[in-house]
Amino acid sequence: MENEQQASFPQLNAPAPAFKAKTTHGDRKLEDYRGKWLILFSHPADFTPVCTTEFIGFANAAPKFDEMGCELLGLSIDSLFSHLAWTRNIKEKFGVEIPFPIIEDIKMDVARAYGMVHPGAADTQAVRATFFIDPNGILRAMVYYPMSNGRSIDEFVRLLQALQTSDANGVATPENWCPGKPVIVPPPKTADAANKRASEGYDTVDWYYSTKSL
């Protein structure tokens, strides 16, 4: 019983768990997103106020994610009919069209594969989990929020920008990095490289901490 209640979690920098599911835009599987970034996110339930604000936030940011080559895919343990009714209600009451598909996960197959169900929070609802999957199907980031508090969509935009910048330039990004700010140069791995670091043209505080502008 104890093992049954433990949530299993996917691993960062490993292939994201494969799935095939019904959505409000037809059947979707992980392989459909190969070659693009994917943000897969769960919410506890349709027709709930915090989730409604999050979906409006994701919808408003959808053009920005699209510019970055990223698709959005929602999920909850509700039926397609509930999803459709809820998105229609959001359009009617808030004037916002939900442009991305939402997975019907009544049997919790996807939710369990991604560690979205936490028995300490609820046995039949997914917590606010968000997964960043890269164009090669590799899980690159996971963010979990409690049911009581909404996510920051702006932070997800920033995180995707940071991941893409690191991939493209072989660098790391500091706390609260945003495009246009200096990035962190990987520290040297040998004594000889450490001795040379100060003369390599970076903004170097010490051998292990150097930044540069892109």
Side-chain angles (χ1 to χ4, degrees), residues 43-57:
H43 63 280
D46 298 347
F47 291 100
T48 53
V50 176
C51 296
T52 299
T53 65
E54 291 185 324
F55 266 58
I56 291 172

Side-chain angles (χ1 to χ4, degrees), residues 45-158:
D46 298 347
F47 291 100
T48 53
V50 176
C51 296
T52 299
T53 65
E54 291 185 324
F55 266 58
I56 291 172
F58 273 118
N60 289 335
K64 182 64 175 178
F65 285 117
D66 185 61
E67 288 176 8
M68 294 188 286
C70 180
E71 301 276 351
L72 300 173
L73 180 60
L75 175 148
S76 80
I77 303 167
D78 289 299
S79 70
L80 284 180
F81 298 107
S82 176
H83 291 339
L84 290 170
W86 183 39
T87 55
R88 288 168 63 88
N89 180 266
I90 291 174
K91 182 178 180 180
E92 176 188 351
K93 301 298 183 181
F94 297 92
V96 176
E97 183 96 36
I98 302 301
F100 47 81
I102 310 169
I103 291 175
E104 172 189 75
D105 197 29
I106 295 175
K107 294 183 179 179
M108 299 189 287
D109 292 335
V110 181
R112 288 198 177 99
Y114 279 81
M116 296 175 178
V117 179
H118 294 194
D123 291 325
T124 58
Q125 289 183 321
V127 296
R128 302 184 195 283
T130 309
F131 303 88
F132 291 68
I133 301 170
D134 74 15
N136 296 314
I138 303 300
L139 181 60
R140 300 291 299 279
M142 298 184 289
V143 184
Y144 286 84
Y145 277 63
M147 293 187 177
S148 57
N149 304 102
R151 288 165 276 207
S152 169
I153 311 306
D154 287 343
E155 168 59 13
F156 296 156
V157 171
R158 190 200 70 82

